[in-house]
Amino acid sequence: MSKKLCIYCASSADIADKYKQTAYEIGAICARTGWTLVNGGGSAGLMGASSDGCQQNGGRVVGIIPQFMIERGWLRDNLDEVIVTTDMAQRKQQLRDKSDAVVVLPGGIGTMEEFFETIVQKQLGLYDKPIILFNQDGYYDHLEAWLNHCHAEQFFRYEGDERLWQCINSMDALRQLLKDMA
């Protein structure tokens, strides 16, 4: 059975092409390494680009989306599997439950909300899978600095909390992680 990689990412269509290209490449890496891609089921932005990359390279994509987003026309056509949820909380839980690891691509408030909720779930022992922050072109440098500051100021509660996630910045590093986890 194929491993499943959840991607948290932006759904805006107005994102710079370099981010869309990276999302496409990560989807393609999923397909080529035998991983199923799991995302929020949207058609635009990095969500759509990651799905394109996966499916156009022979991979499988599972979209998890709340009913209200389908009613707004945001569901991507031709997903291999669609899981419909009642709300965002159920969607986030399903994204975690249906995956073997999470990769966080550049994104905004929604992406960060998913990232932080997953870190908290891991800190509480409710999620035991890898969380990978993909720091494209230094996008997450400020976030990493802030998280390091939280650790230095003793705002992380438990020893090892600073290792709840890992930060990478290259496709080669991601490829190797996926191979190691397969």
Side-chain angles (χ1 to χ4, degrees):
M1 185 162 88
S2 166
K3 291 272 193 170
K4 294 180 178 79
L5 181 68
C6 176
I7 296 184
Y8 295 155
C9 60
S11 61
S12 170
D14 298 327
I15 298 166
D17 286 341
K18 69 179 183 177
Y19 298 116
K20 291 176 189 173
Q21 183 59 39
T22 295
Y24 181 92
E25 289 175 32
I26 290 173
I29 288 170
C30 281
R32 292 184 198 128
T33 57
W35 283 70
T36 295
L37 174 68
V38 178
N39 67 23
S43 58
L46 304 188
M47 229 181 284
S50 65
S51 295
D52 286 344
C54 189
Q55 289 182 313
Q56 290 173 11
N57 285 276
R60 186 169 185 278
V61 178
V62 175
I64 302 175
I65 188 167
Q67 181 63 42
F68 80 89
M69 288 184 173
I70 294 171
E71 291 166 6
R72 291 181 184 181
W74 296 349
L75 175 65
R76 175 187 171 83
D77 291 333
N78 301 320
L79 290 169
D80 297 290
E81 181 180 350
V82 176
I83 298 170
V84 180
T85 65
T86 56
D87 57 33
M88 294 296 284
Q90 187 182 45
R91 176 200 211 183
K92 290 180 291 184
Q93 188 63 52
Q94 288 289 310
L95 286 166
R96 285 190 296 273
D97 290 348
K98 302 286 184 192
S99 63
D100 297 295
V102 169
V103 171
V104 183
L105 299 185
I109 294 168
T111 303
M112 288 297 87
E113 193 262 345
E114 292 168 331
F115 172 62
F116 284 117
E117 183 171 322
T118 304
I119 287 174
V120 170
Q121 293 280 316
K122 191 166 185 175
Q123 182 185 50
L124 296 173
L126 302 173
Y127 183 82
D128 64 351
K129 302 162 189 173
I131 303 169
I132 304 155
L133 194 61
F134 195 86
N135 190 19
Q136 180 179 352
D137 298 332
Y139 186 85
Y140 285 125
D141 285 354
H142 291 96
L143 176 61
E144 277 286 293
W146 177 75
L147 290 167
N148 288 332
H149 178 69
C150 288
H151 181 253
E153 295 293 324
Q154 306 296 315
F155 284 101
F156 285 157
R157 189 169 178 184
Y158 304 107
E159 183 65 33
D161 278 357
E162 72 279 5
R163 294 184 302 275
L164 292 170
W165 71 95
Q166 64 188 95
C167 189
I168 62 171
N169 60 13
S170 73
M171 291 294 180
D172 288 338
L174 180 61
R175 228 178 259 107
Q176 188 60 51
L177 281 172
L178 294 179
K179 284 172 82 175
D180 291 347
M181 289 186 280

